[in-house]
Amino acid sequence: MELQLQNLSKQYGEKRAVQRLNARLTPGVYGLLGANGAGKTTLMRMICGLLKPTSGAILLNEAAMEELGEQYYTHLGYMPQDFGFYPEFTGREFMLYMAAVKGLDKKRAKSRSQKLFSMVNLQEAADKKIKTYSGGMKQRLGIAQAVLNNPAILILDEPTAGLDPKERVSFRNLISQLSRNRIVILSTHIVSDVSCIADTILMMKQGRLLLQEPMDTVTDSIRGKVWEVLVSERQAVEYSRRFPIVNLHHEKGKVRLRMVSETMPAAEGRAAEPDLEDLFLYHFGNQTQEEMEDVDPI
Amino acid sequence: MLIQYELLKLLRKKFTLILMAVSLALTAFLFGLPVMQYQIYDENGVIKGMEGIRYEKEQAVKLPTFLTEEYIAKTVHQVQGLFQNPHNVGYDGNEQFLIGEAYWKYIAPRENLLNTIAKAYDNPGEHSGYNKLADIDAAEGAKFYQAAESKREALLEDPARRMTAQQKAYWSSMAAKVSTPLKYGYYQGWETLISSFELLMFAILSICIVIAPVFAGEYQAGTDALILPAKYGKTKLVTAKIRSAFLFGALAFTLHIIIAFGILLTTFGTDGWELPLQAANMTIPYDFTFLQAALAGLGVLYLILFAAISLTLLLSSKMKTPYLVLPVLAAVLFVPMFLTPDGTTGIYNQLLFLLPYRAAMPELGKYISYQFGSLVLDAFAARTFLYVILTVIMLPFARRSFKKHQAA
Ligand SMILES: Nc1ncnc2c1ncn2[C@@H]1O[C@H](COP(=O)(O)OP(=O)(O)OP(=O)(O)O)[C@@H](O)[C@H]1O
Ligand SMILES: [Mg+2]
């Protein structure tokens, strides 16, 4: 199974949401990282046939998706970033309906949805109307419908958004259980969501694929560029203006800063082992810095 | 399988049930009105509603079964005899009429019949009552059927109608098939029914409102992103959606029909279903019984419904929310109600008689015909063609625009 993206572009009027994107994806978990507006959702919607690419092609095993038609969609499972349900349906009715749209026969639809209900821990709520579900329950129903047809390609667009930390952990485990032998593309801007389950990291910035690296080697490019310093609060403000700050920790009147920089930022700096978060910040530093200052003004 | 779920989506909404209940109640009210407002007079005054209907049916027992020339001649002579006695005659400065026992005993119980007879002797444009019979020269028989035919010919020849030779021939040969002597009897229920078809346009509108979310509802709810990338999302599901819309529409409309016609036919009775339309008016050219005419009208009504459903689906597939479908649909279905025909010829009138609201009215005696080359179509045929074509051509566009919908 190989999913190939060839020179894929999408333009909304003047706005280039995805630009000449190329990739060959084989089974494995792909963590798709990118800041808000990087084009992750646009890319995924094109793969799902919901948006028509302005140019370029999507191929499954060398065959164009438009030509495959139903054949292509048989292999697809999609959990959108924003989606709705039929509030008057029960969870079970919804699953059986989706199973029918996905072409499962009645018997398989029943057994498969029963199995998935217990997997996503919704067996108790299965016969309640969806309008009574909490956000987390809807999210779990969303992933359950995505894998109903046992898809070879599973597209998850920010599946953990809006979940509390406990649910987020169990959701991550669920995804990793569901990921075997499939092409899974999981988008997020929360690095910790993918750092333990992704095999490959895809990073998008302003519509372009910035980087496609195996998880083990992805941070190699910034090895030796991550630093930690212990400074006074006044100095911390100074540093945060000049460098992308990954982390900051108050320690007895002083502040421990973790930052990414080509060269050692200060004599007292200490090189640190790079992780995915550092990498993300290295690439999206300017954008995220403002957000951090908003949250925690020093 | 998919159809079941699509129907379930429609039926689970409280809105659907409420709107259908309201629409059924409105239909029951509209079709109950002719019953509640029915009135007939005897010498003691007015008799209203069900009581009036019962009274009229009692009187109808005495009606003749066939309108033979002899019967008509006898009747005309009888009326003329009544007019010869000055004690029986009143005058309102304009025309003469019968009063007292002469009216109540000899005219009132069969006034519809006498009107039908009298109208056959009218010139085009006249609308006479029974008192017309006093002026007919019936010394050598009433020549009723001959008079009716002359009137029909005069109507067809009327220059204002601008009929082509083919159209005249079309109507004349149709009318020639009507067999004589005419069967007569009580037909109040069917006449009321045939003249009330357009009241069912409200039912059609309500049904279309229920169906409006079939596609747009998915866009609005954000479920389009789930179903479109599923295997059958752009193929069988679309078919199921279209089928379920038609199935729902047909069933819901049939329910309305049962209520509407049920009310009329249980109160006025089903009597008269086998009578020819000419019992009501000799100028009607159709060789139909009341039942056949009702079924033909009903057929057209279903086709209007189907075309309206097709249009609704097309709008639904194109618009972001179902709410936008309503104003367009209401305009299409009801604007023609405010346009009045100024005749039966000319593009304006000819089109008007094909538009949804007008097309619901059978217009049996108006000789509305359409000519394409040498082919002449009457209103029923033209409407059938038009609405079948509209139903069929809009669906592929609806299908296409749902498939191509950019879920953004
Ligand atoms: N329908 C649209 N019309 C115009 N511009 C759009 C439309 N959809 C998205 N965009 C723009 O395209 C860019 C990419 O959007 P996209 O939703 O793909 O980003 P994203 O990476 O998924 O962001 P997020 O992390 O916020 O979900 C953004 O700049 C967005 O404003
Ligand atoms: Mg997104």
Side-chain angles (χ1 to χ4, degrees):
Chain A
M1 189 65 58
E2 186 191 57
L3 183 69
Q4 198 184 339
L5 313 177
Q6 275 182 349
N7 262 325
L8 209 55
S9 299
K10 178 73 191 181
Q11 208 163 328
Y12 299 107
E14 286 295 288
K15 172 87 202 169
R16 291 160 195 265
V18 171
Q19 300 188 54
R20 305 183 71 81
L21 193 141
N22 286 287
R24 279 174 179 272
L25 310 178
T26 50
V29 179
Y30 296 81
L32 177 60
L33 291 173
N36 289 119
K40 306 182 293 292
T41 298
T42 305
L43 172 65
M44 291 178 147
R45 295 207 153 201
M46 285 193 286
I47 296 173
C48 293
L50 288 164
L51 284 176
K52 199 172 149 47
T54 312
S55 63
I58 296 166
L59 307 164
L60 181 62
N61 297 334
E62 309 288 328
M65 118 187 225
E66 305 87 65
E67 270 142 48
L68 289 170
E70 283 180 1
Q71 276 244 15
Y72 176 85
Y73 295 106
T74 326
H75 299 296
L76 195 67
Y78 177 42
M79 177 181 175
Q81 182 172 7
D82 300 304
F83 57 102
F85 292 99
Y86 307 106
E88 299 298 334
F89 274 23
T90 65
R92 194 183 306 280
E93 282 165 343
F94 171 73
M95 285 289 270
L96 293 177
Y97 170 70
M98 284 308 297
V101 185
K102 288 174 177 232
L104 273 64
D105 65 49
K106 227 174 186 166
K107 205 167 137 237
R108 202 165 135 62
K110 273 197 184 139
S111 63
R112 190 78 188 142
S113 42
Q114 190 55 39
K115 193 175 148 211
L116 285 168
F117 274 129
S118 64
M119 196 161 198
V120 301
N121 206 8
L122 280 176
Q123 55 286 55
E124 315 245 297
D127 293 307
K128 299 210 169 81
K129 287 200 175 170
I130 300 178
K131 65 180 173 190
T132 66
Y133 283 21
S134 72
M137 290 162 87
K138 285 184 191 162
Q139 208 82 340
R140 280 181 270 152
L141 188 59
I143 191 153
Q145 66 77 29
V147 292
L148 254 176
N149 54 328
N150 200 9
I153 305 167
L154 180 60
I155 312 274
L156 305 169
D157 197 353
E158 304 205 18
T160 57
L163 297 181
D164 68 32
K166 191 170 145 268
E167 270 191 319
R168 170 170 258 132
V169 171
S170 62
F171 214 83
R172 221 184 286 157
N173 294 336
L174 176 65
I175 292 168
S176 102
Q177 273 179 61
L178 289 169
S179 301
R180 264 165 232 132
N181 303 320
R182 307 176 205 272
I183 299 173
V184 180
I185 309 176
L186 192 163
S187 84
T188 180
H189 32 217
I190 297 155
V191 174
S192 58
D193 273 354
V194 290
S195 52
C196 28
I197 55 174
D199 308 312
T200 310
I201 295 297
L202 306 172
M203 238 182 230
M204 280 185 81
K205 187 174 185 178
Q206 294 171 358
R208 290 179 197 279
L209 191 58
L210 199 67
L211 166 162
Q212 174 175 2
E213 281 283 334
M215 190 64 205
D216 337 331
T217 56
V218 70
T219 53
D220 288 1
S221 62
I222 53 163
R223 191 165 297 278
K225 296 177 188 169
V226 182
W227 311 90
E228 281 191 356
V229 289
L230 193 65
V231 295
S232 72
E233 295 204 1
R234 198 175 47 76
Q235 281 172 300
V237 177
E238 185 73 12
Y239 275 108
S240 71
R241 289 218 182 91
R242 288 170 44 210
F243 302 102
I245 304 296
V246 187
N247 205 344
L248 131 177
H249 194 243
H250 293 265
E251 284 175 17
K252 303 176 203 122
K254 293 219 156 191
V255 183
R256 182 176 295 282
L257 293 176
R258 187 178 168 104
M259 62 192 101
V260 187
S261 162
E262 297 288 334
T263 54
M264 198 198 300
E268 64 272 35
R270 189 172 63 76
E273 184 65 15
D275 61 23
L276 196 53
E277 201 140 357
D278 302 325
L279 183 70
F280 188 80
L281 219 87
Y282 177 67
H283 288 297
F284 299 102
N286 344 351
Q287 292 171 31
T288 344
Q289 220 171 340
E290 292 158 24
E291 286 172 24
M292 283 178 73
E293 280 177 9
D294 283 348
V295 179
D296 191 3
I298 304 172
Chain B
M1 191 57 197
L2 282 171
I3 292 187
Q4 284 172 32
Y5 283 109
E6 289 300 328
L7 281 175
L8 193 62
K9 274 192 215 167
L10 292 177
L11 295 176
R12 272 286 166 80
K13 287 187 199 127
K14 280 208 187 71
F15 178 73
T16 301
L17 302 179
I18 292 170
L19 187 60
M20 283 299 103
V22 169
S23 163
L24 284 169
L26 178 68
T27 301
F29 172 74
L30 290 175
F31 281 80
L33 274 182
V35 180
M36 291 184 280
Q37 294 181 339
Y38 191 77
Q39 43 189 35
I40 189 164
Y41 294 83
D42 70 0
E43 54 265 66
N44 302 318
V46 68
I47 316 175
K48 284 185 182 164
M50 280 306 294
E51 196 122 349
I53 293 172
R54 210 170 301 126
Y55 176 77
E56 168 147 26
K57 282 170 108 174
E58 268 168 40
Q59 304 290 310
V61 177
K62 296 169 217 151
L63 293 173
T65 326
F66 284 99
L67 298 188
T68 58
E69 288 287 359
E70 296 81 62
Y71 175 84
I72 290 167
K74 202 181 86 193
T75 306
V76 171
H77 289 141
Q78 192 181 24
V79 173
Q80 290 180 342
L82 291 168
F83 270 101
Q84 260 147 31
N85 181 349
H87 291 298
N88 291 339
V89 182
Y91 184 66
D92 64 1
N94 187 22
E95 53 181 1
Q96 292 194 317
F97 47 89
L98 294 173
I99 53 172
E101 199 197 32
Y103 177 77
W104 292 116
K105 190 153 175 219
Y106 298 103
I107 304 298
R110 49 175 181 171
E111 192 161 353
N112 279 340
L113 168 63
L114 296 176
N115 286 339
T116 297
I117 296 175
K119 273 185 285 185
Y121 296 94
D122 274 345
N123 292 315
E126 283 180 352
H127 296 283
S128 305
Y130 69 91
N131 46 5
K132 166 94 179 178
L133 298 177
D135 310 329
I136 291 168
D137 175 12
E140 288 162 39
K143 295 185 189 132
F144 171 70
Y145 291 103
Q146 201 183 319
E149 194 184 329
S150 314
K151 181 183 177 191
R152 219 167 37 228
E153 294 302 321
L155 284 171
L156 294 176
E157 294 300 334
D158 184 348
R161 286 185 193 263
R162 282 184 266 159
M163 284 216 192
T164 64
Q166 283 108 321
Q167 284 172 319
K168 287 177 202 166
Y170 175 87
W171 291 120
S172 294
S173 78
M174 182 188 269
K177 294 198 188 99
V178 176
S179 65
T180 56
L182 206 60
K183 204 167 178 210
Y184 196 80
Y186 167 89
Y187 52 77
Q188 201 60 52
W190 293 97
E191 193 185 36
T192 312
L193 188 153
I194 288 171
S195 59
S196 310
F197 277 128
E198 68 275 14
L199 299 178
L200 285 158
M201 294 304 284
F202 294 101
I204 293 182
L205 181 65
S206 314
I207 288 167
C208 289
I209 294 173
V210 169
I211 288 171
V214 163
F215 294 118
E218 308 281 359
Y219 308 155
Q220 189 194 27
T223 42
D224 51 351
L226 298 180
I227 56 180
L228 279 169
K231 182 179 182 188
Y232 292 140
K234 300 180 189 212
T235 51
K236 287 187 185 167
L237 178 68
V238 191
T239 308
K241 280 178 165 298
I242 292 173
R243 288 198 185 154
S244 66
F246 278 93
L247 190 61
F248 172 83
L251 292 177
F253 193 61
T254 303
L255 196 58
H256 282 82
I257 297 284
I258 290 171
I259 298 258
F261 293 3
I263 287 173
L264 292 182
L265 296 179
T266 51
T267 51
F268 286 102
T270 53
D271 321 44
W273 62 271
E274 80 293 13
L275 298 178
L277 290 172
Q278 289 71 22
N281 192 336
M282 282 302 289
T283 52
I284 295 175
Y286 290 95
D287 182 24
F288 280 167
T289 62
F290 279 96
L291 177 62
Q292 286 168 331
L295 291 177
L298 192 57
V300 171
L301 212 53
Y302 269 95
L303 295 178
I304 297 174
L305 168 76
F306 291 151
I309 291 176
S310 259
L311 174 64
T312 307
L313 291 175
L314 177 60
L315 293 170
S316 176
S317 71
K318 297 233 176 246
M319 297 196 167
K320 282 206 176 65
T321 79
Y323 310 119
L324 296 171
V325 178
L326 175 62
V328 180
L329 215 63
V332 170
L333 292 181
F334 287 99
V335 165
M337 184 162 83
F338 301 101
L339 307 173
T340 23
D342 55 19
T344 54
T345 52
I347 298 277
Y348 169 77
N349 288 313
Q350 295 245 303
L351 281 179
L352 195 54
F353 285 117
L354 290 177
L355 294 181
Y357 185 81
R358 295 273 160 202
M361 306 178 178
E363 311 281 22
L364 295 163
K366 286 205 170 133
Y367 303 101
I368 297 162
S369 49
Y370 300 82
Q371 189 164 356
F372 305 93
S374 61
L375 178 70
V376 178
L377 298 178
D378 72 334
F380 282 126
R383 290 164 181 176
T384 301
F385 260 105
L386 176 68
Y387 285 100
V388 167
I389 289 170
L390 285 177
T391 304
V392 173
I393 60 167
M394 285 188 281
L395 290 179
F397 290 101
R399 192 182 278 276
R400 205 182 110 98
S401 76
F402 180 66
K403 271 198 252 187
K404 304 251 148 149
H405 175 69
Q406 305 269 298

